[in-house]
Structures are given as structure tokens and as C-alpha cells.
Amino acid sequence: VHEYSIVQALVEQVETAAAARGASAVHRVRVSIGALAGIDPELLRTAYDLFRVRTICERAPLDITEVPARWVCRLCGGPIAATATLTCAACGGPGRLAAGDEILLDQVELEVA
Amino acid sequence: MCQEGDRQHETDIVSVDVHQRILAGNDATARHNREHFRKAAVLAVNIMGSPGAGKTAMLEATARALGATRRIGALAGDLETDRDAERLRGAGIAARSINTGSACHLDARMVHHGLHELTWQGCDYLFIENVGNLVCPAVYDLGQAFNVVTLAVTEGEDKPLKYPVMFQRADLVLLTKVDLLPYLDVNVDVIARALARVMPAPVMIPMSAKTGEGIHRWVRWLERKKAEVDAFSQRYSVAGSTGRSEAGAVAGD
């Protein structure tokens, strides 16, 4: 379960953002997780709830936006419907994942004096 | 960018947009590793697969096939023990273990530490044998040039559909232990179709470390990629000495 290592990196990033603005507390953390990111959102939430105790995120709920996978053609850029293959129906080119591999810290709500 | 939130006592709540990859730290170390490999013209390959898929046996067979013509290094990730690295050294590979303790995957920092324990600069190939796991290793960039996933025929036909992220990120799938096919109800075409659903440009080489079947096709794949890396490194070192940027070097050719 690598979700703990993800949470550790996440909390460190939030700490950096908070320190940069002299924040005294964090009120909310917003992340985006792609459907093909290899991260289970529920496991991430569990890991976060365990890990955030006694960190700057202690009182900050985690909002997770789940991003669906979207494939486009690597050659012509047209959309690809993920069916039997991930190749372009128009030109036969291979697919490229245009969205769905996100593991992003989007936004933090900080309490500043 | 910052918007004023609701006032509480004498403090303000502000929303701050960060928009950064959570693994930005790992990505930076991976870029650093990649730079090392590129400068030394080493082809670094991240080998992933289930426990028991035959990663180590495949590397032993690869070393036998490449013989004395190529120098091979390996970092073997395992939760515990030096067993895989011992086997690889027995096959003539300069190998070191990376013991991950409880971690289910290698990350770029572990690989960077491992590089300091291994004389890898003179190698043609560096195989990074990841921890046996079809989930977590796919998430971490190590600085490799390519991802290779080993899938044993004994694992069943539906593994690509069950672990799409791992196979989506594979540049090549080695279907291992094909010498066992006569004893199994496993159809290679069904595996190929499952791969096509999750892998954008599916390439699969059926092989057997035991009989040697498919090893030469895999070695040809490696040698082709190595030639690409060599050509790129040559251009890169010329570009570096004249202060041109990496992107400029590629575009200029």
C-alpha cells in the first residue's frame, strides 16, 4: 500500500505551502486523483486520516476529485473510446492518456493571521 | 490567485492554488537518475511483475544470451534478503540489493542510493528489478528509459484487465514460463487481447528462461533500444560541450 508514502509527500507539500505564507493552520486540502493513477481514493483517505494526526493537516478535511481516464490519438489528436483496443478509429494511431493519471495537490485553505 | 475566505476572529482563511504533482520530489530525483544514465549511455530498464513471475530467472537468461559482449548491472529491490542479487551475481551481473523493508515498491531515492553502492557507469544495461507487485511500483518514476513487465502464463489470462495501470505503463510485456503452456488451460491470444485493451501500443514477447525460447527476440529489443540511447547520448554529449540545450540538440538533428 503505497498510499501512505503518497500521503507523506502530500503532507510535506502542504507544510511547505503553509510555511511559505506563514499560515498557522490548514482548513482544507484538495487533491485530484486520476482513474489510472494507481491510487485508490478510499485507501488514500484512510491513510490521510491516520497520518494527519499531529501534523498541520490535523483539522483539514481531504477533498478528492476523481478524474476519469481520457484517451486521445498520439498521431492525429482525435478522441479514442477505450474499447477492445486503445487505437484511433480514424487513423489507426496508438492512444495517449490525456487525462486520468493525475496525482495532484490542487489547493489548500490556509489560516493566516 | 488567493481569494478572501470567511473571517474568524483576527485570522483569515485563504485558498491557495498549488497545482503540483504530489510526487514532485520523487519526479525530481528520477530526472536526476535519468540524467546520470543518459550521460553514461546506460540503458536503464525498470523490470516489474508479480512475485514469482520470473523476473530474476529472465535476467539470468538475458545475461547468458548477451554473454561477454555486454556489461550488465542490476539493482534488485526486495523487502528482505540478498537472494535475488546473489543469483544475478552468479549469472555474471554486477548486482546489488535494495532492501525496502516494508515498502512495496522502489522509488527514485532508493535507486539513487543503490547507484552509489554499485559500479554501474561502465555498464551497457542497468536492470532495476522492482519489488514483486503489480500495483505500487507503477506509480513511481525511477529514471528508467523503459518499463518492462513480466507476466507468467501461470498467472492467468485476465491479469492485464485486473491491473490496468501496470500494463498501461509497460513499454514491453515479457510473457514468461511459456514452456508450461502444454500443462495449462491458458490461451496466449486471450492474454494478447487483454493487453490490447489496456496498453496503447501493445508489444508482448512470449519467452521461457528455461528453454531459451523468445530470449533472442527480447535481446534484439534491448539492443535496438540500447542503440537509440547510444545515438542520443552521443548527440547529447556533443551538445553539452557546446552549451546547447538538450532540446536544441534533439531539434537540431
Side-chain angles (χ1 to χ4, degrees), chain B residues 96-162:
Chain B
R96 281 282 190 167
S97 294
I98 302 178
N99 281 140
T100 58
S102 60
C104 48
H105 59 271
L106 291 177
D107 64 27
R109 189 186 48 84
M110 295 180 209
V111 169
H112 190 256
H113 282 256
L115 291 176
H116 283 287
E117 313 238 306
L118 181 76
T119 309
W120 57 274
Q121 289 87 346
C123 290
D124 298 295
Y125 296 104
L126 178 76
F127 295 108
I128 305 167
E129 185 181 337
N130 219 309
V131 179
N133 183 331
L134 278 181
V135 183
C136 316
V139 177
Y140 297 83
D141 184 9
L142 306 179
Q144 75 280 357
F146 296 101
N147 285 329
V148 171
V149 177
T150 57
L151 170 67
V153 290
T154 47
E155 292 182 67
E157 297 163 338
D158 53 2
K159 275 287 181 298
L161 303 177
K162 286 181 174 170

Side-chain angles (χ1 to χ4, degrees), chain A residues 12-97:
Chain A
E12 280 169 18
Q13 246 170 18
V14 173
E15 281 169 352
T16 306
R21 285 159 187 85
S24 52
V26 181
H27 280 242
R28 189 172 296 277
V29 173
R30 292 198 171 92
V31 300
S32 289
I33 303 296
L36 287 177
I39 308 284
D40 182 316
E42 280 320 300
L43 283 180
L44 184 70
R45 192 179 297 287
T46 307
Y48 179 77
D49 286 341
L50 283 172
F51 194 88
R52 67 167 154 160
V53 180
R54 283 194 288 280
T55 74
I56 197 162
C57 295
E58 180 140 28
R59 287 185 295 139
L62 180 68
D63 285 1
I64 302 178
T65 305
E66 297 183 33
V67 185
R70 189 166 59 82
W71 292 88
V72 297
C73 176
R74 220 179 279 179
L75 301 181
C76 74
I80 291 179
T83 53
T85 65
L86 296 170
T87 43
C88 179
C91 79
R96 176 177 68 79
L97 196 60

Side-chain angles (χ1 to χ4, degrees), chain A residues 1-2 5-6 9 13 21 27 36-37 71 83-86 95 97 103-112, chain B residues 11-23 104-105 136 139-140 165 168-169 196-200:
Chain A
V1 279
H2 52 296
S5 109
I6 302 286
Q13 246 170 18
R21 285 159 187 85
H27 280 242
L36 287 177
W71 292 88
T83 53
T85 65
L86 296 170
L97 196 60
I103 309 177
L104 289 179
L105 170 59
D106 291 323
Q107 202 184 50
V108 285
E109 283 182 13
L110 301 176
E111 183 179 315
V112 292
Chain B
T11 59
D12 288 333
I13 309 293
V14 295
S15 292
V16 176
D17 290 331
V18 182
H19 290 305
Q20 196 182 17
R21 260 176 61 78
I22 293 172
L23 292 174
C104 48
H105 59 271
C136 316
V139 177
Y140 297 83
V165 176
Q168 176 231 318
R169 292 175 190 199
R197 294 188 84 93
V198 296
M199 227 175 136

Side-chain angles (χ1 to χ4, degrees), chain B residues 161-234:
Chain B
L161 303 177
K162 286 181 174 170
Y163 299 90
V165 176
M166 174 59 74
F167 291 94
Q168 176 231 318
R169 292 175 190 199
D171 295 293
L172 172 71
V173 171
L174 293 175
L175 186 67
T176 59
K177 309 189 188 184
V178 292
D179 54 290
L180 295 178
L181 279 172
Y183 311 103
L184 304 168
D185 285 324
V186 170
N187 185 335
V188 173
D189 292 336
V190 175
I191 299 177
R193 279 202 292 279
L195 277 177
R197 294 188 84 93
V198 296
M199 227 175 136
V203 192
M204 177 176 83
I205 300 180
M207 63 171 276
S208 163
K210 199 178 170 78
T211 66
E213 181 184 344
I215 295 284
H216 287 283
R217 210 179 135 199
W218 150 240
V219 165
R220 275 202 303 279
W221 185 91
L222 277 176
E223 293 283 69
R224 227 172 24 245
K225 299 300 180 189
K226 169 68 176 150
E228 288 172 22
V229 165
D230 285 350
F232 186 78
S233 286
Q234 222 160 6

